[in-house]
Amino acid sequence: MPTALITGGNRGLGLEAARQLAAAGYHVMLTARSAQAGAKAARALEVEFRPLDVSYPASITALAESLARDRLTLDVLINNAGVALEGFDARVAEETLAVNYFGAAALTDALLPRVADQGTVVMVSSGMGELSCVSAALREKLTAPELTARSSTS
Ligand SMILES: NC(=O)c1ccc[n+]([C@@H]2O[C@H](COP(=O)([O-])OP(=O)(O)OC[C@H]3O[C@@H](n4cnc5c(N)ncnc54)[C@H](OP(=O)(O)O)[C@@H]3O)[C@@H](O)[C@H]2O)c1
């Protein structure tokens, strides 16, 4: 049975992705930052729950260690957890990046050793993340074949 792990699975798109993957025959690991909300959602779908707050490195490490302990391999990793906060100031920018970018990147780095060779990593984003939203010059830098996760585009 293929295995899928979803972040922010207690509501919204993550919950629906968990529901559809379970219906398609996946072993679904629904994760959420609220143990209560996550466990309730997982119970309703009859899938497994594991706690995860993507903005806390210790939470990511704990999840990665639990997957390793259970010798689990992921066929699908869905980075769905995200925030859309009201207004815009330094706090909003910092919190948004902590969850929507650094959280997804850190979780993916931590779980890659457990993703199957032919596995799929999904980054749920928005129109704001589309390459068509940035300048032609930046688009060229971001699509350069030599670009890696550790490259600088400056
Ligand atoms: N719906 C749209 O139209 C739309 C449009 C563009 C992009 N997106 C993207 O699609 C994804 C899902 O959207 P949605 O509409 O389903 O959002 P949503 O209903 O607000 O759900 C967001 C989920 O992310 C979780 N989350 C937030 N911060 C987290 C953290 N630090 N660690 C773990 N989980 C965290 C939330 O948990 P809590 O319940 O604990 O808050 C919730 O489960 C997001 O990445 C969003 O940016 C959605």
Side-chain angles (χ1 to χ4, degrees), residues 8 10-13 33 52-55 80-83 99 124-126:
N10 55 295
R11 61 187 170 99
L13 299 179
R33 60 180 167 175
L52 173 68
D53 186 324
V54 299
S55 62
N80 163 78
V83 291
V99 177
V124 179
S125 183
S126 75

Side-chain angles (χ1 to χ4, degrees), residues 4 29 31-32 46 51 53 58 66 69 72 78 91 93 118 122 124 129 136:
M29 263 175 280
T31 72
E46 298 182 339
D53 186 324
S66 82
R69 209 169 32 244
L72 282 166
I78 303 184
R91 184 196 61 81
Q118 302 302 316
V122 179
V124 179

Side-chain angles (χ1 to χ4, degrees), residues 7 33 45 65 67-68 74 90 103 116 130 147 154:
T7 68
R33 60 180 167 175
L45 297 182
E65 286 175 354
L67 297 186
L74 302 180
E130 286 179 15
L147 185 71
S154 58

Side-chain angles (χ1 to χ4, degrees), residues 12 19-21 54-55 75 90 96 109 139:
R19 192 187 67 74
Q20 292 197 21
L21 285 165
V54 299
S55 62
D75 298 285
T96 302
D109 281 348
R139 190 158 56 240

